[in-house]
């Protein structure tokens, strides 16, 4: 049999010529080979719609190689990507690299080395020939190491008795050439390829010359066309082999009537000189955007307009390079209500099931973190009641639990008595035991857990899977295949499988297909995926200089200059990597020739930071073929345009946003006070309030509402200042209490200071023994320095009174003393006082409230709503029978350690001058604080809750802006 070579430009009916021959060959069970899996699905549907159901087999080239291997009797399967990566890494270790050793430690070295080894395999270069060529050339400083690396790789493959995909393809062809009758003359048709690789060319030659098969190859080619120069060399190689060359001429019937003139002119004139200029007539349009999201929104708006004009979504293709930009386009299109068919390859470690499984393994292994445990438990399908993981996370975060084992202990205590309570602990133990047993056991355990998780919600339901469930199923399937690949390695050589950590790293990089390119949605794909199909509308996006066309990227080990020198010195020719312009031109030509009605070309004039970007030179090539109408009529959405103009808003939501922006609508009104009868009744019935809560309400009613009435459960741990403050309180209480037991008095003087410091050292030493960890050690050393400084300051400049009460509590359940009655039984105050110092002779007392590094002055107690220490002073007088001579906020660290507040001017010590007052002034301040507390309580009980962001937090500003929405709200009016 002979080869039929079908050539011609785009839309020259090459598909029709191939499919006509394909239908004629149906009795002999022909094979139709197309570039991608999406093309397989498309042509299966197209042939079925034409009545061709039986005897058809549409497949990719990789599947064709498998068919050849099976027909030739070649047993075994090639190494998968995961196993091949492990073999490459083992070869790197075997080669004992010296000059390349620093680079070999870099994360990307194995992938780059693997790509070079695959290229050498595809090019049928034996290690001996590669070594001789490099030595004859002598131009590479690490040529011997490259040769050693390739030789080590081939030795590893031979020891395994298996080949990689490239070697398997050559072995299959060798086997077929040895016994060509095994093929049986089955016809093969190749369509949709822009060019053929060396392996693909050898397949064609083997099938034609040796197996005597009928082969038909269609390639886009036209003599002299710059746009089709990428396939010229392949056509020249195939032409002598062809018994028939069918050169089809250009045609325009495929274009819609109103678009034919412009689109056909573009196809004929692209990249050709002297093409002339025509009106775009709406068939070719430009879109200019400022930033990636603006580009996606422009495209989304145009797609919506096409759909309103009657274009089915599956007749639209949006071509985007790169998984990141494609994900953004998918998000925007979905938000605009556009159905999207988007299939993408993502890392298994990035999928929801894969991330959970890898976290499961990390949690079970030594050093597993609580975050890993939570990720595993949150995997959809893992828990019947996912909210239990939320509760566990809140406890873990509040307690700053770091290890998975500690978190499991918390889980077991929280679920004690329930059947599922101990399951995570048992599963972690089982996986840890499997990891200790070996790679095969670990892989089996992971596969079992993956199958159990994704199948759990569907067991015994016989339901059709939703898209995200299909993604889980594909993830589980890819995991099974990767695990089988790695188990095969481990069976042959345990070291090849790697350590548990290496296994998890490899599995995380396995590629999984997510989404689906199904009918009924706009096809969002890479430009390479539509070369064999046509659409009514095509969007070519990301037309940036360096993105499309891509810039040349040198091969890391042998750049194009080195390859030319190698070929000149040794005769070994390796394909150039940096000559990409012809391929990029051919790809762009294929993209712009796919639409039947309208073509959109989109680029970004700036990035998301406002820096200017250059459009692709291909945009200028298209502009040169059309009148200025094309440029002047371009769609634009620049970076500064946060919303759409109301008349152009593509969706109702975008219209509302545009109208809000146009009207300069103010922020929502501040949160109003409670108005419902049950809430007001609850507030009116309150009789007892903590002193701290009254101070909070006086400063800002909304903050009191959130922290004292709503009391949301906190998931975040206490802040560092909060933890430090609580620890400082406890250390001072224990230090002064211990000092009293040691010398009979807790009074801080220059004489007692050494004993106080020794007591402090003992308390901190005990805390260090209990705490452990570098972070706790640093915190305690810092606290020690601050408290030693404070004790020294107090001993030298303090009042010298006896700390009689440490952490005195009143009015709460179990307290010796009851509440402070401010307005009879209708208002009682509770609290906890850090310290009360008393003169045993006169019963004069100073009330102290510890602070961090700053404290409010006493002159502004009532004006600044600082009630706490004043109320504590009143409680000390009325409940303890002492006479307050001072109420002080005591800083414990910082530059200034003098206490702030009010103190009688005859009290010994060092104070801020304005804080020292007469006895009468102190009494007036205490009474003013009492009156403010009573008025505050009346406002609270009446529901007069006002937002006061200017004093909500000590440093100013609103603590809960999302709740009260009152950045500019006035302070509340004073109560009666």
């Amino acid at each position: 049999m002979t080869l039929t070579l079908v050539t011609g430009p785009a839309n020259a009916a090459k598909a029709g010529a191939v499919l006509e021959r394909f239908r004629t060959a149906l009795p002999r069970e022909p094979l139709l080979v197309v570039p991608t899996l999406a093309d397989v699905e498309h042509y299966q549907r197209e042939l079925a719609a034409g009545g061709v159901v039986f005897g058809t087999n549409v497949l990719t080239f990789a599947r064709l190689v498998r068919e050849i291997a099976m027909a030739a009797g070649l047993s075994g399967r090639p190494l998968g990507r995961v196993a091949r990566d492990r073999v490459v890494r083992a070869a790197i270790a075997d080669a004992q690299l010296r000059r390349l050793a620093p680079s070999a430690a870099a994360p990307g070295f194995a992938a780059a080395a693997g790509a070079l080894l695959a290229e050498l395999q595809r090019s049928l270069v034996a290690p001996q020939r590669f070594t001789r060529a490099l030595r004859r050339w002598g131009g590479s400083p690490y040529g011997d190491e490259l040769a050693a690396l390739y030789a080590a790789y081939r030795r590893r493959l031979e020891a395994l008795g298996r080949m990689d995909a490239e070697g398997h393809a050559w072995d299959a062809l060798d086997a077929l050439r040895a016994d060509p009758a095994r093929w049986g003359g089955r016809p093969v048709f190749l369509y949709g390829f822009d060019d053929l690789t060396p392996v693909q060319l050898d397949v064609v030659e083997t099938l034609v010359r040796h197996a005597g098969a009928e082969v038909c190859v269609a390639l886009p080619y036209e003599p002299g066309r710059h746009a089709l120069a990428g396939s010229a060399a392949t056509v020249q190689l195939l032409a002598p082999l062809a018994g028939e060359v069918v050169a089809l001429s250009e045609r325009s019937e495929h274009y819609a009537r109103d678009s034919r003139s412009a689109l056909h002119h573009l196809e004929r004139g692209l990249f050709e000189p002297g093409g002339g200029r025509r009106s775009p007539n709406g068939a070719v349009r430009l879109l200019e955007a400022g930033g990636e999201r603006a580009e996606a929104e422009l495209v989304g708006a145009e797609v919506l307009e096409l759909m309103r004009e009657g274009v089915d979504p599956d007749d639209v293709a949006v071509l985007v390079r790169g998984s990141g930009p494609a994900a953004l386009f998918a998000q925007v299109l979905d938000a605009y209500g556009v159905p999207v068919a988007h299939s993408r390859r993502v890392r298994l470690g990035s999928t929801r099931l894969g991330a959970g499984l890898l976290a499961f393994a990390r949690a079970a292994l030594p050093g597993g973190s609580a975050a890993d445990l939570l990720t595993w438990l949150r995997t959809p399908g893992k828990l019947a009641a996912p909210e239990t993981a939320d509760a566990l996370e809140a406890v873990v975060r509040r307690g700053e639990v770091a290890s998975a084992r500690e978190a499991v202990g918390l889980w077991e205590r929280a679920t004690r008595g329930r059947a599922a309570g101990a399951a995570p602990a048992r599963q972690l133990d089982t996986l840890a035991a499997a990891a200790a047993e070996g790679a095969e056991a670990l892989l089996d355990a992971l596969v079992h857990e993956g199958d159990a998780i994704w199948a759990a919600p569907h067991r015994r339901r016989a339901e059709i899977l939703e898209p995200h469930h299909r993604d889980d199923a594909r993830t589980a399937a890819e995991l099974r295949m990767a695990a089988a690949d790695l188990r095969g390695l481990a069976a042959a050589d345990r070291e090849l499988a790697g350590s548990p950590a290496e296994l998890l790293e490899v599995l995380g990089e396995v590629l999984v297909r997510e989404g689906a390119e199904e009918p009924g949605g706009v096809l969002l794909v890479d430009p390479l995926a539509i070369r064999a199909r046509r659409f009514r509308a095509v969007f070519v996006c990301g037309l940036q200089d360096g993105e499309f066309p891509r810039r040349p990227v040198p091969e890391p080990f042998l750049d194009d200059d080195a390859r030319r020198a190698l070929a000149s010195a040794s005769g070994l020719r390796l394909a150039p990597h940096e000559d990409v312009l012809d391929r990029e031109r051919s790809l762009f030509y294929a993209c712009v020739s796919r639409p039947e009605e309208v073509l959109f070309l989109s680029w970004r004039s700036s990035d998301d930071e406002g820096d200017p970007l250059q459009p692709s030179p291909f945009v200028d090539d298209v502009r040169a073929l059309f009148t200025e109408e094309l440029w002047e009529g371009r769609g634009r959405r620049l970076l500064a345009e946060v919303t759409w103009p109301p008349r152009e808003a593509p969706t109702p939501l975008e219209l509302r946003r545009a109208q809000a922006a146009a009207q300069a609508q103010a922020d929502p009104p501040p949160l109003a006070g409670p108005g419902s009868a049950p809430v007001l009744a609850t507030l009116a019935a309150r009789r007892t309030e903590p002193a701290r809560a009254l101070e909070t309400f006086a400063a800002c009613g909304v903050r009191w509402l959130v922290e004292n009435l709503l009391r949301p459960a906190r998931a975040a741990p206490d802040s560092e200042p909060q933890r430090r403050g609580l620890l400082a309180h406890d250390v001072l209480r224990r230090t002064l209490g211990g000092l009293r037991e040691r010398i009979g008095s807790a009074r801080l003087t220059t004489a007692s200071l050494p004993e106080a410091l020794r007591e402090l050292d003992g308390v901190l030493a005990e805390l260090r023994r209990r705490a452990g960890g570098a972070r706790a050690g640093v915190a305690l050393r810092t606290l020690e320095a601050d408290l030693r400084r404070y004790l020294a300051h107090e001993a030298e400049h303090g009042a010298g009174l006896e700390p009689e009460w440490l952490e005195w509590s009143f009015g709460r359940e179990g307290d010796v003393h009851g509440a402070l009655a401010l307005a009879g039984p209708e208002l009682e105050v509770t609290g906890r006082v850090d310290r009360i110092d008393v003169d045993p002779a006169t019963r004069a007392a100073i009330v102290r409230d510890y602070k961090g590094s700053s404290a409010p002055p006493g002159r502004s107690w009532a004006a600044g709503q600082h009630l706490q220490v004043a109320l504590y002073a009143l409680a000390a007088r009325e409940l303890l029978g002492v006479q307050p001579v001072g109420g002080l906020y005591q800083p414990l660290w910082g530059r200034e350690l003098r206490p702030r507040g009010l103190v009688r001017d005859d009290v010994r010590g060092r104070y801020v001058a304005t804080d020292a007052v007469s006895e009468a002034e102190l009494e007036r301040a205490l009474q003013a604080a009492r009156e403010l507390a009573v008025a505050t309580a009346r406002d609270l009980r009446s529901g007069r809750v006002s937002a006061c962001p200017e004093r909500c937090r000590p440093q100013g500003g609103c603590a809960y802006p999302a709740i009260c929405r009152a950045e500019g709200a006035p302070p509340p009016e004073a109560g009666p």
Side-chain angles (χ1 to χ4, degrees):
M1 301 298 287
T2 58
L3 168 68
T4 300
L5 181 60
V6 180
T7 66
N11 302 318
K14 295 187 296 295
V18 172
L19 293 179
E20 180 182 353
R21 287 168 170 77
F22 180 82
R23 291 185 180 94
T24 303
L26 281 175
R28 291 176 287 155
E29 297 184 344
L31 301 175
L32 176 61
V33 185
V34 291
T36 68
L37 284 173
D39 295 326
V40 169
E41 296 169 1
H42 172 77
Y43 278 97
Q44 284 174 335
R45 290 193 297 267
E46 184 168 310
L47 289 168
V52 181
V53 180
F54 299 105
T56 64
N57 197 338
V58 186
L59 65 170
T60 62
F61 200 90
R63 181 63 185 273
L64 174 62
V65 170
R66 288 169 57 185
E67 293 282 342
I68 293 173
M70 287 189 293
L74 183 66
S75 61
R77 293 175 63 88
L79 289 176
R81 290 186 179 182
V82 175
R84 184 178 178 278
D85 178 76
R86 296 301 306 160
V87 173
V88 169
R89 292 175 184 272
I92 293 172
D94 292 345
Q96 298 180 348
L97 305 177
R98 296 181 302 278
R99 286 179 177 269
L100 289 174
S103 299
F109 183 87
L116 176 63
L117 298 178
E119 180 184 0
L120 293 171
Q121 291 281 84
R122 283 195 303 272
S123 303
L124 276 180
V125 178
Q128 298 83 355
R129 185 186 178 196
F130 188 54
T131 301
R132 288 195 303 269
L134 287 171
R135 288 176 177 171
R136 189 172 298 172
W137 169 42
S140 173
Y142 41 78
D144 288 343
E145 295 188 18
L146 284 181
L149 177 58
Y150 188 29
Y153 176 68
R154 288 291 291 267
R155 284 195 299 272
R156 282 283 183 175
L157 293 178
E158 291 166 5
L160 287 171
R162 298 177 67 183
M163 289 298 293
D164 55 17
E166 295 77 16
H168 182 75
W170 293 121
D171 286 351
L173 293 175
D174 287 341
L176 183 60
R177 283 190 284 264
D179 191 359
R182 283 178 171 268
W183 183 249
R186 197 174 185 184
V188 178
F189 299 82
L190 279 73
Y191 176 73
F193 295 89
D194 292 334
D195 200 2
L196 299 182
T197 66
V199 176
Q200 292 168 341
L201 285 168
D202 200 8
V203 166
V204 171
E205 182 180 3
T206 300
L207 290 174
V208 172
R209 286 187 172 173
H210 297 274
E214 176 188 347
V215 179
C216 179
V217 178
L219 289 173
Y221 174 71
E222 193 175 14
R225 285 294 303 273
H226 291 86
L228 300 173
S231 58
T234 298
V235 170
Q236 299 306 316
L237 287 173
L238 289 176
L241 185 65
E244 180 185 9
V245 177
V246 180
L248 300 175
S249 60
E250 47 91 11
R251 298 172 64 180
S252 62
E253 298 91 274
H254 296 294
Y255 300 115
R257 184 182 60 184
D258 293 340
S259 306
R260 186 171 301 156
S261 174
L263 291 178
H264 188 58
H265 176 64
L266 174 60
E267 186 274 318
R268 300 311 301 158
L270 185 63
F271 304 131
E272 302 299 328
R277 308 184 81 178
R278 292 188 185 179
S279 169
N281 198 32
V284 181
R285 307 180 196 177
L286 303 180
L287 301 176
E288 177 188 356
E292 291 183 353
R293 188 171 190 88
E295 183 179 20
E297 290 174 344
L298 265 178
V299 170
E302 294 292 349
V303 171
L304 278 177
E305 188 62 27
L306 291 173
M307 292 169 59
R308 295 184 185 112
E309 293 173 358
V311 178
D312 288 334
D314 51 356
D315 277 333
V316 179
V318 177
L319 312 183
V320 182
R321 274 182 158 173
S323 58
L328 175 61
F329 271 78
Q331 179 190 59
V332 170
L333 291 172
D334 182 67
Y336 278 14
V338 176
V340 180
H342 176 40
S343 177
R344 58 204 173 275
R345 290 277 180 175
V346 299
R347 295 171 52 255
L348 184 140
S350 300
T351 65
R352 63 181 198 169
L353 177 61
L357 290 173
L358 296 179
F360 169 47
R362 290 193 299 269
L365 296 173
S369 70
D372 289 328
L373 177 73
L374 287 166
T375 300
W376 170 47
L377 294 177
R378 287 186 180 281
T379 307
K382 177 60 188 173
L383 297 179
E387 61 273 10
T388 55
D390 298 338
L392 176 63
E393 181 177 11
V395 175
V396 165
R397 289 171 63 87
R398 286 285 295 156
E400 294 188 286
V401 175
S403 77
R405 293 295 173 175
E406 287 182 84
V408 166
L410 293 174
W411 172 275
E412 291 179 325
R413 288 194 291 275
T415 57
R416 186 173 290 119
R418 281 180 264 173
R426 287 196 300 269
Q427 289 176 288
L428 292 179
D429 291 341
T430 301
L431 188 65
E437 184 179 339
E440 291 138 300
L442 174 59
L443 290 166
D444 288 341
L446 283 176
V447 169
H448 179 270
E449 177 69 0
D451 288 339
I453 289 177
W454 90 261
H458 316 293
R459 190 167 288 114
R460 297 185 179 180
R461 301 180 68 173
E463 60 186 1
I464 297 176
L465 298 182
E466 296 293 329
H468 54 280
H469 291 142
R470 289 201 297 271
D471 291 341
D472 290 341
R474 280 192 288 263
T475 300
E478 291 289 350
L479 177 64
R480 284 194 296 273
M481 288 188 289
D485 217 11
L486 290 168
R487 276 196 297 266
L489 282 186
D493 185 343
R494 281 184 171 271
E495 292 184 1
L496 278 178
S499 67
E502 290 173 323
L503 275 177
L504 298 185
E505 180 184 356
V506 169
L507 291 175
E509 296 300 321
V510 170
L511 294 180
V512 179
R513 187 164 69 101
E514 282 195 339
E517 297 172 4
E518 299 177 348
V522 170
L523 185 62
L524 178 60
V525 290
D526 187 273
L528 286 168
I530 68 158
R531 294 168 294 173
R533 286 179 278 174
R534 282 195 292 268
F535 301 83
R536 290 180 65 182
V538 172
F539 293 78
V540 185
C541 306
L543 286 171
Q544 309 298 135
D545 186 23
E547 185 174 331
F548 198 169
R550 284 178 172 160
R551 293 190 178 94
V553 178
E555 200 278 330
F557 299 99
L558 294 169
D559 61 22
D560 280 8
D561 289 341
R563 288 166 184 250
R564 284 189 286 269
L566 180 66
S568 176
S570 68
L572 175 60
R573 297 185 179 277
L574 297 176
H577 275 241
E578 300 167 48
D579 187 11
V580 300
L581 184 56
D582 283 346
R583 294 196 297 272
E584 293 290 285
R585 279 178 169 175
S586 296
L587 181 58
F588 183 67
Y589 169 82
C591 293
V592 302
S593 62
R594 294 302 88 198
E596 298 172 347
E597 293 183 12
V598 59
L599 169 70
F600 292 85
L601 303 177
S602 169
W603 76 93
R604 301 182 298 278
S605 56
S606 71
D607 61 16
D608 290 331
E609 303 299 323
D611 294 328
L613 296 177
Q614 290 298 318
S616 166
F618 291 168
V619 175
D620 291 332
D621 291 323
V622 173
R623 285 184 62 188
L625 296 172
F626 296 99
T627 61
E628 284 304 307
E629 177 187 349
L630 176 66
W631 180 256
E632 293 168 358
R634 71 189 185 279
R636 302 184 77 194
R637 181 159 171 73
L638 302 183
L639 192 63
E641 298 171 4
V642 179
T643 61
W644 290 88
R647 294 181 62 182
E648 300 176 15
T651 66
L653 177 60
E654 292 293 346
L655 177 60
R656 290 195 295 273
R657 288 174 176 167
Q659 290 171 338
Q663 297 169 4
Q665 181 176 333
D667 290 336
L671 182 72
S676 67
V679 175
L680 290 174
T682 299
L683 294 176
R686 296 176 69 91
R687 292 293 178 267
T688 302
E689 299 292 343
R692 182 184 295 274
L694 281 177
E695 181 172 287
T696 299
F697 189 91
C700 179
V702 171
R703 183 173 181 181
W704 175 87
L705 183 72
V706 173
E707 296 178 357
N708 293 273
L709 197 63
L710 300 180
R711 294 181 182 177
R714 293 179 57 194
D718 291 336
S719 65
E720 193 65 35
Q722 285 177 307
R723 288 197 297 267
R724 193 177 184 205
L726 291 172
L727 184 59
H729 280 59
D730 182 56
V731 170
L732 284 176
R733 176 186 62 80
R734 294 171 61 184
T735 297
L736 295 177
L739 180 64
R740 180 184 289 129
E741 293 178 4
R742 181 189 292 264
I743 64 174
S745 171
R747 185 178 303 187
L748 288 170
T749 64
T750 53
S752 66
L753 178 61
E755 291 294 334
L757 294 177
R758 275 192 286 273
E759 191 64 32
L760 174 66
D761 291 340
V763 172
L764 292 173
E766 181 184 346
L767 289 175
R768 288 191 183 95
R769 286 193 299 271
R770 287 163 42 194
R775 178 179 175 183
V778 170
L780 287 173
R781 284 195 297 273
T782 304
L783 182 64
E784 177 184 8
D786 288 331
L787 293 185
R788 291 179 73 90
R789 182 166 168 258
Y790 162 67
L791 292 175
H793 178 276
E794 181 68 21
E796 184 176 357
H797 302 294
L801 304 183
E802 178 68 33
E804 190 165 331
W805 283 279
L806 302 174
E807 304 296 334
W808 173 61
S809 180
F810 63 93
R812 303 177 185 181
E813 185 176 353
D815 289 342
V816 175
H817 298 88
L820 168 67
L822 279 188
E826 294 187 358
L827 175 59
E828 295 181 333
V829 174
T830 64
R832 184 183 183 88
V833 186
D834 294 335
R835 191 171 121 205
I836 302 176
D837 298 344
V838 179
D839 184 341
T842 64
R843 304 303 291 166
I846 295 178
V847 175
R848 295 181 185 272
D849 189 62
Y850 295 140
K851 293 294 182 184
S853 59
S854 61
R859 293 283 185 182
S860 62
W861 274 354
Q865 285 74 39
H866 300 296
L867 296 174
Q868 197 170 345
V869 78
L871 294 177
Y872 290 164
L874 292 172
R877 178 163 64 188
E878 298 181 20
L879 299 177
L880 297 177
V882 297
Q883 179 56 42
V885 294
L888 299 173
Y889 293 103
Q890 176 63 63
L892 296 180
W893 47 78
R895 296 179 59 186
E896 180 58 80
L897 292 180
R898 285 184 297 175
R900 298 303 308 272
L902 291 178
V903 63
R904 215 167 63 189
D905 53 13
D906 59 348
V907 174
R908 174 180 174 270
R910 181 169 175 250
Y911 309 101
V912 175
T914 55
D915 290 346
V917 297
S918 66
E919 182 177 358
E921 288 178 298
L922 175 61
E923 188 60 32
R924 284 196 294 272
L926 291 174
Q927 292 308 313
R930 179 191 289 269
E931 292 169 4
L932 177 59
V934 172
T936 298
R938 289 174 181 163
D939 286 344
L940 187 158
R941 293 172 180 176
S942 301
R944 290 195 282 269
V945 177
S946 299
C948 305
E950 69 283 354
R951 59 172 187 253
C952 183
R953 296 184 298 178
Q955 64 271 35
C958 184
Y960 303 99
I963 296 177
C964 73
R965 308 185 299 269
E967 285 298 329
E973 297 180 3

